Amino acid sequence: MATCFDHASATSRAMHATAPSLAVLVALVVLSGCSKEADTAAPQPRPVRTVTVEQRAAGATVTLTGRIEAEDEVTLAFRISGRVLQNDRKLGDRIEPGQVVARLESQNERNTLRAAQANLVASQGQLTQARNHFERQDTLLNQGWTTRANHDQAKQALQTAESQVDAAEAQVKTAYDLVSFTELKADAPGVVTAVGPAAGEVVQAGQMILRVARRDGRDAVFDVPAQVIRNAPSEPRITVNLTDDPKVSTTGRVREISPQADPVTRTFAVKVGLNDPPPAMRLGATVTARMEGDSVPVIEIPATALTKANSQPAVVGRGNRSQEDDVRQAEAYPAGA
């Protein structure tokens, strides 16, 4: 019994000796955890994007899509009716002034020309005969061997013969013109943009055979709503870019506004004359125009600066706030948001 009691007493003394050590260990662990919580809770500075708000001049920008057309485009047609003998031009062909671009069958016109020439020769022969007869009558009248009536009759025949020669010459000229009208010639350099009836077809006078875009200039044509035209400035600044390659650009001015709206789209065709258009702006290319309206004073702020204060719209600004306010603002609106 004595032995058991001594052993229990020893064990109790050991536990009492160990208790302070455990308390110290627990205290160290708790302090270490508190230190970590304190370090984690410390706020970290975050970057804030700032913008200086200033008043500047700005205008409404209107963007339109259109196409490139020739500033001067003409339609070539025959002056007379007939059957097309030749019309082998193709789209994009270049033509020069005086070049024959199409022909009509000219057999009938050439026959008319030969008949007029023959009539002219006959009229000239009658004129020669009438002139000789008048000269004889004039000589005989001076010598007293003929009457005044015969002299006047010879003079009238001479005047008739001269008139017939004049008429025959006019007929020959008309016949020459008809023959020349069977050939269609270009009056200026250009590019073929449309081709009409082919060889073998019968055409009427004035019917389109070729449409040619002259090389004088280029227009950008746009279909513009009436509201844009009403609100446009008197001298708008227009920039024209190729739609498929915006790097190709030029400037232009409004050259013509259609007085009547399109019956289908209810828009007005506006032609913008291009200043030194680049070669890449070919006929028919799609272009985009940007027109700036009249300048008005505006103040522009980023969307991230908009907030609410007392249930009212407000703007987040620096003002006279403290550094703590900036930290809270950085947490609410981080950079890049």
Side-chain angles (χ1 to χ4, degrees), residues 234-283:
S234 57
E235 295 182 358
R237 300 181 297 274
I238 301 176
T239 303
V240 181
N241 305 78
L242 273 180
T243 303
D244 57 354
D245 188 3
K247 295 180 180 180
V248 180
S249 64
T250 184
T251 58
R253 57 177 179 81
V254 177
R255 190 177 64 83
E256 179 182 329
I257 300 177
S258 175
Q260 184 175 1
D262 186 272
V264 178
T265 62
R266 310 308 301 171
T267 57
F268 294 83
V270 177
K271 294 184 178 180
V272 177
L274 301 180
N275 302 323
D276 298 328
M281 288 189 176
R282 301 180 181 273
L283 295 175

Side-chain angles (χ1 to χ4, degrees), residues 17-154:
T18 308
S21 300
L22 291 175
V24 173
L25 179 61
V26 171
L28 291 175
V29 171
V30 171
L31 290 176
S32 176
C34 292
S35 177
K36 290 182 179 180
E37 284 186 6
D39 294 342
T40 304
Q44 296 294 330
R46 303 177 66 180
V48 178
R49 179 186 298 171
T50 60
V51 177
T52 302
V53 178
E54 297 178 345
Q55 180 175 305
R56 64 181 181 85
T61 302
V62 179
T63 303
L64 299 170
T65 302
R67 62 195 178 279
I68 297 294
E69 292 185 359
E71 181 178 342
D72 186 8
E73 193 172 37
V74 297
T75 299
L76 301 183
F78 289 106
R79 298 187 183 184
I80 60 176
S81 303
R83 185 170 179 267
V84 179
L85 180 65
Q86 176 187 352
N87 184 19
D88 53 2
R89 297 294 168 181
K90 297 179 178 59
L91 295 178
D93 287 353
R94 297 185 178 275
I95 59 177
E96 300 297 334
Q99 183 179 358
V100 177
V101 295
R103 287 187 175 89
L104 292 177
E105 290 184 351
S106 60
Q107 187 62 39
N108 294 337
E109 286 73 19
R110 294 185 182 278
N111 291 337
T112 302
L113 175 59
R114 284 193 288 268
Q117 290 173 335
N119 187 29
L120 175 61
V121 173
S123 299
Q124 290 174 342
Q126 292 176 359
L127 175 60
T128 300
Q129 183 180 1
R131 183 179 292 112
N132 293 337
H133 180 63
F134 172 75
E135 290 176 354
R136 286 194 298 270
Q137 291 296 321
D138 190 60
T139 300
L140 292 175
L141 180 63
N142 293 333
Q143 294 177 356
W145 295 101
T146 187
T147 62
R148 173 63 65 176
N150 291 335
H151 181 271
D152 293 344
Q153 186 178 5

Side-chain angles (χ1 to χ4, degrees), residues 27 48 58 61 120-121 147 151 158 178 186 189 201 210 215 223 227-228 239 263 300 305 307:
V48 178
T61 302
L120 175 61
V121 173
T147 62
H151 181 271
L158 175 61
L178 289 176
E201 299 186 39
L210 293 176
R215 301 177 186 174
D223 296 327
Q227 182 179 2
V228 176
T239 303
E300 184 178 358
T307 184

